[in-house]
Amino acid sequence: MSVRRPEIRALVAGNVISGFYVKNFEVNSSRYEACDVASVVFAIDTTKIDNSGTLWFEQDTTENISFVLEMRDAVVAASEWERFFDGQVDHVQYFPDKGLLEVECRDALAFLMDLRVQDSWLNHTGEELLRVLIEAAGLTAQIDFPPESASIMTGQFWQIEHKRLSLLSHHRFQTAADVAFMISRDAGCDLYADGKTIVCSPVLSSDGNQAIVHDVRGAVLSRSFGRDLQADRGFVVHVASWDSRQRSATEIYYDGNSFSSNGPQDQRSVHGFRLPGRRLEDLKRFAVGKYARIAAHVRSGYVRLPGRSELRPRDFLQLGDGYWANPLAIDQVISRFSLEEGFLQELVLRNRGEVPVA
């Protein structure tokens, strides 16, 4: 909904705290393998808070404090509260002389980012390993891998050199989030938090059955677009792998249309990647996914508009004609609210579609 007169409230540990009123906030949500983050400033009415004990943020506890921002339109009679941000408190700063409290929060992906990897796994599929990591962080998993990626083994497989997901094996993974994002990227999926559930689902195209398209034609304050001319001239993805026991190497080049064992003969840029111990079909699938993600950055749209509480990364936006004729994927939403300026949003848009199967 387009919020004309937003009414905001915050729930701490599931409860609305008396005397704390949202003065302003900024929520940064994206699909960039990072937590959604919220920074909220409260004005405190000391006449309506309980002064007999410690305030909620001063309590002597090591438990995570859940934090939810909800919103509704005060113009619409009997409108229901809608969840706008769901996470946990990371940091607070109290200004008693000013009657202000600043709160910084992250969503549930923070549990994966704070979980150190100290195990190794034998012969797990990507989905199985994701479930192990997500459940170890105390969260719920909702995983929907595309059929061609569901049976791919991850971890130690075939030979000892595949044991690359253990902290003691000197790999590049330090946290559970590092491993989880790698698995989701390889499968052509997005990984994000929905409350206390971690969702892994395929990247959608705007004409897909599950795609959510928002029509904001005529409601935009400003818009612009950028174009990466170097990438638009064409590029090639190069993926190489090797089998140290068999002393054999495999490599493939992908230009967006076809595969080749030889590099480009022109001046197109080459993006190279190394994947130890992968089969040829795995390399092809990886190359297609990498190409799609790089190609999405060739053209980018930037939009500023009055706040709409339903806009989320991974949705699509219909803006108008010309460059804007086709719905563009929402990559990032920066939502700002203040008593002085109201509710505004800035969006980053890109042309993302479903990753094709190699």
PDB file of all heavy atoms in Angstrom, residues 308-330:
ATOM      1  N   ARG A 308       6.187   3.085   0.115  1.00  0.00           N
ATOM      2  CA  ARG A 308       5.190   2.032  -0.061  1.00  0.00           C
ATOM      3  C   ARG A 308       5.659   0.854   0.789  1.00  0.00           C
ATOM      4  O   ARG A 308       6.691   0.243   0.512  1.00  0.00           O
ATOM      5  CB  ARG A 308       5.047   1.639  -1.533  1.00  0.00           C
ATOM      6  CG  ARG A 308       4.648   2.798  -2.450  1.00  0.00           C
ATOM      7  CD  ARG A 308       4.739   2.407  -3.912  1.00  0.00           C
ATOM      8  NE  ARG A 308       3.729   1.449  -4.288  1.00  0.00           N
ATOM      9  CZ  ARG A 308       2.575   1.741  -4.869  1.00  0.00           C
ATOM     10  NH1 ARG A 308       2.274   3.029  -5.116  1.00  0.00           N
ATOM     11  NH2 ARG A 308       1.713   0.818  -5.196  1.00  0.00           N
ATOM     12  N   SER A 309       4.902   0.521   1.800  1.00  0.00           N
ATOM     13  CA  SER A 309       5.362  -0.447   2.795  1.00  0.00           C
ATOM     14  C   SER A 309       5.561  -1.844   2.236  1.00  0.00           C
ATOM     15  O   SER A 309       6.265  -2.655   2.825  1.00  0.00           O
ATOM     16  CB  SER A 309       4.372  -0.505   3.964  1.00  0.00           C
ATOM     17  OG  SER A 309       3.088  -0.917   3.518  1.00  0.00           O
ATOM     18  N   GLU A 310       4.955  -2.153   1.070  1.00  0.00           N
ATOM     19  CA  GLU A 310       5.036  -3.511   0.545  1.00  0.00           C
ATOM     20  C   GLU A 310       6.244  -3.761  -0.348  1.00  0.00           C
ATOM     21  O   GLU A 310       6.490  -4.905  -0.762  1.00  0.00           O
ATOM     22  CB  GLU A 310       3.766  -3.851  -0.244  1.00  0.00           C
ATOM     23  CG  GLU A 310       3.645  -3.175  -1.609  1.00  0.00           C
ATOM     24  CD  GLU A 310       3.043  -1.794  -1.561  1.00  0.00           C
ATOM     25  OE1 GLU A 310       3.049  -1.198  -0.477  1.00  0.00           O
ATOM     26  OE2 GLU A 310       2.565  -1.309  -2.606  1.00  0.00           O
ATOM     27  N   LEU A 311       7.023  -2.742  -0.681  1.00  0.00           N
ATOM     28  CA  LEU A 311       8.158  -2.921  -1.586  1.00  0.00           C
ATOM     29  C   LEU A 311       9.277  -3.688  -0.888  1.00  0.00           C
ATOM     30  O   LEU A 311       9.714  -3.312   0.196  1.00  0.00           O
ATOM     31  CB  LEU A 311       8.685  -1.573  -2.073  1.00  0.00           C
ATOM     32  CG  LEU A 311       7.726  -0.738  -2.935  1.00  0.00           C
ATOM     33  CD1 LEU A 311       8.389   0.562  -3.345  1.00  0.00           C
ATOM     34  CD2 LEU A 311       7.274  -1.521  -4.159  1.00  0.00           C
ATOM     35  N   ARG A 312       9.753  -4.743  -1.544  1.00  0.00           N
ATOM     36  CA  ARG A 312      10.799  -5.586  -0.980  1.00  0.00           C
ATOM     37  C   ARG A 312      11.821  -5.944  -2.061  1.00  0.00           C
ATOM     38  O   ARG A 312      11.470  -6.045  -3.252  1.00  0.00           O
ATOM     39  CB  ARG A 312      10.213  -6.887  -0.424  1.00  0.00           C
ATOM     40  CG  ARG A 312       9.265  -6.726   0.759  1.00  0.00           C
ATOM     41  CD  ARG A 312      10.010  -6.316   2.019  1.00  0.00           C
ATOM     42  NE  ARG A 312       9.145  -6.325   3.190  1.00  0.00           N
ATOM     43  CZ  ARG A 312       8.406  -5.300   3.583  1.00  0.00           C
ATOM     44  NH1 ARG A 312       8.426  -4.171   2.877  1.00  0.00           N
ATOM     45  NH2 ARG A 312       7.650  -5.375   4.663  1.00  0.00           N
ATOM     46  N   PRO A 313      13.081  -6.146  -1.684  1.00  0.00           N
ATOM     47  CA  PRO A 313      14.028  -6.718  -2.651  1.00  0.00           C
ATOM     48  C   PRO A 313      13.499  -8.056  -3.179  1.00  0.00           C
ATOM     49  O   PRO A 313      12.816  -8.782  -2.457  1.00  0.00           O
ATOM     50  CB  PRO A 313      15.302  -6.921  -1.810  1.00  0.00           C
ATOM     51  CG  PRO A 313      15.181  -5.936  -0.689  1.00  0.00           C
ATOM     52  CD  PRO A 313      13.708  -5.854  -0.375  1.00  0.00           C
ATOM     53  N   ARG A 314      13.807  -8.323  -4.444  1.00  0.00           N
ATOM     54  CA  ARG A 314      13.367  -9.519  -5.169  1.00  0.00           C
ATOM     55  C   ARG A 314      11.972  -9.370  -5.764  1.00  0.00           C
ATOM     56  O   ARG A 314      11.546 -10.226  -6.517  1.00  0.00           O
ATOM     57  CB  ARG A 314      13.451 -10.788  -4.304  1.00  0.00           C
ATOM     58  CG  ARG A 314      14.878 -11.198  -3.971  1.00  0.00           C
ATOM     59  CD  ARG A 314      14.939 -12.194  -2.843  1.00  0.00           C
ATOM     60  NE  ARG A 314      14.515 -11.590  -1.591  1.00  0.00           N
ATOM     61  CZ  ARG A 314      15.335 -10.909  -0.790  1.00  0.00           C
ATOM     62  NH1 ARG A 314      16.596 -10.765  -1.117  1.00  0.00           N
ATOM     63  NH2 ARG A 314      14.892 -10.388   0.324  1.00  0.00           N
ATOM     64  N   ASP A 315      11.244  -8.264  -5.436  1.00  0.00           N
ATOM     65  CA  ASP A 315      10.029  -7.927  -6.168  1.00  0.00           C
ATOM     66  C   ASP A 315      10.425  -7.217  -7.462  1.00  0.00           C
ATOM     67  O   ASP A 315      11.617  -7.010  -7.739  1.00  0.00           O
ATOM     68  CB  ASP A 315       9.132  -7.015  -5.338  1.00  0.00           C
ATOM     69  CG  ASP A 315       8.525  -7.732  -4.136  1.00  0.00           C
ATOM     70  OD1 ASP A 315       8.675  -8.962  -4.041  1.00  0.00           O
ATOM     71  OD2 ASP A 315       7.917  -7.040  -3.291  1.00  0.00           O
ATOM     72  N   PHE A 316       9.415  -6.822  -8.262  1.00  0.00           N
ATOM     73  CA  PHE A 316       9.657  -6.124  -9.527  1.00  0.00           C
ATOM     74  C   PHE A 316       8.852  -4.833  -9.551  1.00  0.00           C
ATOM     75  O   PHE A 316       7.800  -4.712  -8.920  1.00  0.00           O
ATOM     76  CB  PHE A 316       9.273  -7.003 -10.717  1.00  0.00           C
ATOM     77  CG  PHE A 316      10.147  -8.219 -10.872  1.00  0.00           C
ATOM     78  CD1 PHE A 316       9.886  -9.367 -10.142  1.00  0.00           C
ATOM     79  CD2 PHE A 316      11.237  -8.206 -11.730  1.00  0.00           C
ATOM     80  CE1 PHE A 316      10.705 -10.492 -10.272  1.00  0.00           C
ATOM     81  CE2 PHE A 316      12.050  -9.317 -11.863  1.00  0.00           C
ATOM     82  CZ  PHE A 316      11.788 -10.461 -11.130  1.00  0.00           C
ATOM     83  N   LEU A 317       9.375  -3.863 -10.326  1.00  0.00           N
ATOM     84  CA  LEU A 317       8.752  -2.541 -10.406  1.00  0.00           C
ATOM     85  C   LEU A 317       8.435  -2.213 -11.854  1.00  0.00           C
ATOM     86  O   LEU A 317       9.299  -2.316 -12.732  1.00  0.00           O
ATOM     87  CB  LEU A 317       9.698  -1.485  -9.822  1.00  0.00           C
ATOM     88  CG  LEU A 317       9.056  -0.297  -9.102  1.00  0.00           C
ATOM     89  CD1 LEU A 317       8.302  -0.790  -7.871  1.00  0.00           C
ATOM     90  CD2 LEU A 317      10.118   0.706  -8.685  1.00  0.00           C
ATOM     91  N   GLN A 318       7.179  -1.824 -12.112  1.00  0.00           N
ATOM     92  CA  GLN A 318       6.756  -1.352 -13.425  1.00  0.00           C
ATOM     93  C   GLN A 318       6.709   0.168 -13.386  1.00  0.00           C
ATOM     94  O   GLN A 318       5.948   0.766 -12.624  1.00  0.00           O
ATOM     95  CB  GLN A 318       5.379  -1.903 -13.768  1.00  0.00           C
ATOM     96  CG  GLN A 318       4.854  -1.458 -15.123  1.00  0.00           C
ATOM     97  CD  GLN A 318       5.634  -2.075 -16.272  1.00  0.00           C
ATOM     98  OE1 GLN A 318       5.679  -3.280 -16.414  1.00  0.00           O
ATOM     99  NE2 GLN A 318       6.245  -1.230 -17.091  1.00  0.00           N
ATOM    100  N   LEU A 319       7.555   0.819 -14.221  1.00  0.00           N
ATOM    101  CA  LEU A 319       7.723   2.263 -14.134  1.00  0.00           C
ATOM    102  C   LEU A 319       7.110   3.043 -15.282  1.00  0.00           C
ATOM    103  O   LEU A 319       6.638   4.154 -15.097  1.00  0.00           O
ATOM    104  CB  LEU A 319       9.210   2.612 -14.041  1.00  0.00           C
ATOM    105  CG  LEU A 319       9.893   2.308 -12.710  1.00  0.00           C
ATOM    106  CD1 LEU A 319      11.391   2.415 -12.858  1.00  0.00           C
ATOM    107  CD2 LEU A 319       9.401   3.265 -11.652  1.00  0.00           C
ATOM    108  N   GLY A 320       7.155   2.498 -16.498  1.00  0.00           N
ATOM    109  CA  GLY A 320       6.656   3.282 -17.621  1.00  0.00           C
ATOM    110  C   GLY A 320       7.095   2.705 -18.944  1.00  0.00           C
ATOM    111  O   GLY A 320       7.105   1.492 -19.133  1.00  0.00           O
ATOM    112  N   ASP A 321       7.512   3.603 -19.888  1.00  0.00           N
ATOM    113  CA  ASP A 321       7.877   3.161 -21.223  1.00  0.00           C
ATOM    114  C   ASP A 321       9.379   3.332 -21.437  1.00  0.00           C
ATOM    115  O   ASP A 321      10.123   3.656 -20.528  1.00  0.00           O
ATOM    116  CB  ASP A 321       7.087   3.954 -22.268  1.00  0.00           C
ATOM    117  CG  ASP A 321       7.223   5.462 -22.053  1.00  0.00           C
ATOM    118  OD1 ASP A 321       8.077   5.867 -21.243  1.00  0.00           O
ATOM    119  OD2 ASP A 321       6.476   6.212 -22.707  1.00  0.00           O
ATOM    120  N   GLY A 322       9.821   3.104 -22.688  1.00  0.00           N
ATOM    121  CA  GLY A 322      11.241   3.238 -23.008  1.00  0.00           C
ATOM    122  C   GLY A 322      12.076   2.240 -22.232  1.00  0.00           C
ATOM    123  O   GLY A 322      11.780   1.045 -22.192  1.00  0.00           O
ATOM    124  N   TYR A 323      13.154   2.746 -21.621  1.00  0.00           N
ATOM    125  CA  TYR A 323      14.006   1.876 -20.825  1.00  0.00           C
ATOM    126  C   TYR A 323      13.223   1.222 -19.695  1.00  0.00           C
ATOM    127  O   TYR A 323      13.551   0.138 -19.228  1.00  0.00           O
ATOM    128  CB  TYR A 323      15.164   2.690 -20.240  1.00  0.00           C
ATOM    129  CG  TYR A 323      16.015   1.926 -19.261  1.00  0.00           C
ATOM    130  CD1 TYR A 323      16.909   0.945 -19.702  1.00  0.00           C
ATOM    131  CD2 TYR A 323      15.922   2.175 -17.891  1.00  0.00           C
ATOM    132  CE1 TYR A 323      17.682   0.241 -18.797  1.00  0.00           C
ATOM    133  CE2 TYR A 323      16.696   1.473 -16.989  1.00  0.00           C
ATOM    134  CZ  TYR A 323      17.582   0.505 -17.445  1.00  0.00           C
ATOM    135  OH  TYR A 323      18.337  -0.197 -16.547  1.00  0.00           O
ATOM    136  N   TRP A 324      12.146   1.876 -19.274  1.00  0.00           N
ATOM    137  CA  TRP A 324      11.366   1.410 -18.135  1.00  0.00           C
ATOM    138  C   TRP A 324      10.191   0.537 -18.560  1.00  0.00           C
ATOM    139  O   TRP A 324       9.329   0.221 -17.744  1.00  0.00           O
ATOM    140  CB  TRP A 324      10.829   2.614 -17.363  1.00  0.00           C
ATOM    141  CG  TRP A 324      11.860   3.660 -17.109  1.00  0.00           C
ATOM    142  CD1 TRP A 324      12.094   4.783 -17.846  1.00  0.00           C
ATOM    143  CD2 TRP A 324      12.822   3.682 -16.058  1.00  0.00           C
ATOM    144  NE1 TRP A 324      13.119   5.505 -17.311  1.00  0.00           N
ATOM    145  CE2 TRP A 324      13.583   4.860 -16.212  1.00  0.00           C
ATOM    146  CE3 TRP A 324      13.098   2.830 -14.989  1.00  0.00           C
ATOM    147  CZ2 TRP A 324      14.621   5.197 -15.345  1.00  0.00           C
ATOM    148  CZ3 TRP A 324      14.118   3.164 -14.115  1.00  0.00           C
ATOM    149  CH2 TRP A 324      14.867   4.339 -14.304  1.00  0.00           C
ATOM    150  N   ALA A 325      10.101   0.157 -19.836  1.00  0.00           N
ATOM    151  CA  ALA A 325       8.920  -0.545 -20.331  1.00  0.00           C
ATOM    152  C   ALA A 325       8.714  -1.885 -19.652  1.00  0.00           C
ATOM    153  O   ALA A 325       7.588  -2.254 -19.316  1.00  0.00           O
ATOM    154  CB  ALA A 325       9.033  -0.731 -21.846  1.00  0.00           C
ATOM    155  N   ASN A 326       9.799  -2.638 -19.452  1.00  0.00           N
ATOM    156  CA  ASN A 326       9.684  -3.947 -18.815  1.00  0.00           C
ATOM    157  C   ASN A 326       9.915  -3.823 -17.314  1.00  0.00           C
ATOM    158  O   ASN A 326      10.711  -2.998 -16.867  1.00  0.00           O
ATOM    159  CB  ASN A 326      10.697  -4.919 -19.417  1.00  0.00           C
ATOM    160  CG  ASN A 326      10.456  -5.172 -20.884  1.00  0.00           C
ATOM    161  OD1 ASN A 326       9.314  -5.294 -21.319  1.00  0.00           O
ATOM    162  ND2 ASN A 326      11.534  -5.239 -21.658  1.00  0.00           N
ATOM    163  N   PRO A 327       9.228  -4.642 -16.525  1.00  0.00           N
ATOM    164  CA  PRO A 327       9.452  -4.599 -15.079  1.00  0.00           C
ATOM    165  C   PRO A 327      10.913  -4.903 -14.742  1.00  0.00           C
ATOM    166  O   PRO A 327      11.523  -5.796 -15.325  1.00  0.00           O
ATOM    167  CB  PRO A 327       8.520  -5.697 -14.541  1.00  0.00           C
ATOM    168  CG  PRO A 327       7.466  -5.857 -15.595  1.00  0.00           C
ATOM    169  CD  PRO A 327       8.179  -5.614 -16.899  1.00  0.00           C
ATOM    170  N   LEU A 328      11.467  -4.148 -13.816  1.00  0.00           N
ATOM    171  CA  LEU A 328      12.844  -4.344 -13.374  1.00  0.00           C
ATOM    172  C   LEU A 328      12.851  -4.883 -11.948  1.00  0.00           C
ATOM    173  O   LEU A 328      11.990  -4.541 -11.128  1.00  0.00           O
ATOM    174  CB  LEU A 328      13.616  -3.028 -13.435  1.00  0.00           C
ATOM    175  CG  LEU A 328      13.792  -2.410 -14.819  1.00  0.00           C
ATOM    176  CD1 LEU A 328      14.460  -1.043 -14.710  1.00  0.00           C
ATOM    177  CD2 LEU A 328      14.602  -3.327 -15.723  1.00  0.00           C
ATOM    178  N   ALA A 329      13.826  -5.725 -11.665  1.00  0.00           N
ATOM    179  CA  ALA A 329      13.926  -6.329 -10.339  1.00  0.00           C
ATOM    180  C   ALA A 329      14.424  -5.306  -9.322  1.00  0.00           C
ATOM    181  O   ALA A 329      15.303  -4.500  -9.610  1.00  0.00           O
ATOM    182  CB  ALA A 329      14.863  -7.536 -10.375  1.00  0.00           C
ATOM    183  N   ILE A 330      13.857  -5.356  -8.133  1.00  0.00           N
ATOM    184  CA  ILE A 330      14.305  -4.495  -7.040  1.00  0.00           C
ATOM    185  C   ILE A 330      15.477  -5.175  -6.348  1.00  0.00           C
ATOM    186  O   ILE A 330      15.338  -6.245  -5.765  1.00  0.00           O
ATOM    187  CB  ILE A 330      13.170  -4.237  -6.033  1.00  0.00           C
ATOM    188  CG1 ILE A 330      11.976  -3.577  -6.722  1.00  0.00           C
ATOM    189  CG2 ILE A 330      13.669  -3.384  -4.878  1.00  0.00           C
ATOM    190  CD1 ILE A 330      10.779  -3.380  -5.811  1.00  0.00           C
TER     191      ILE A 330
END
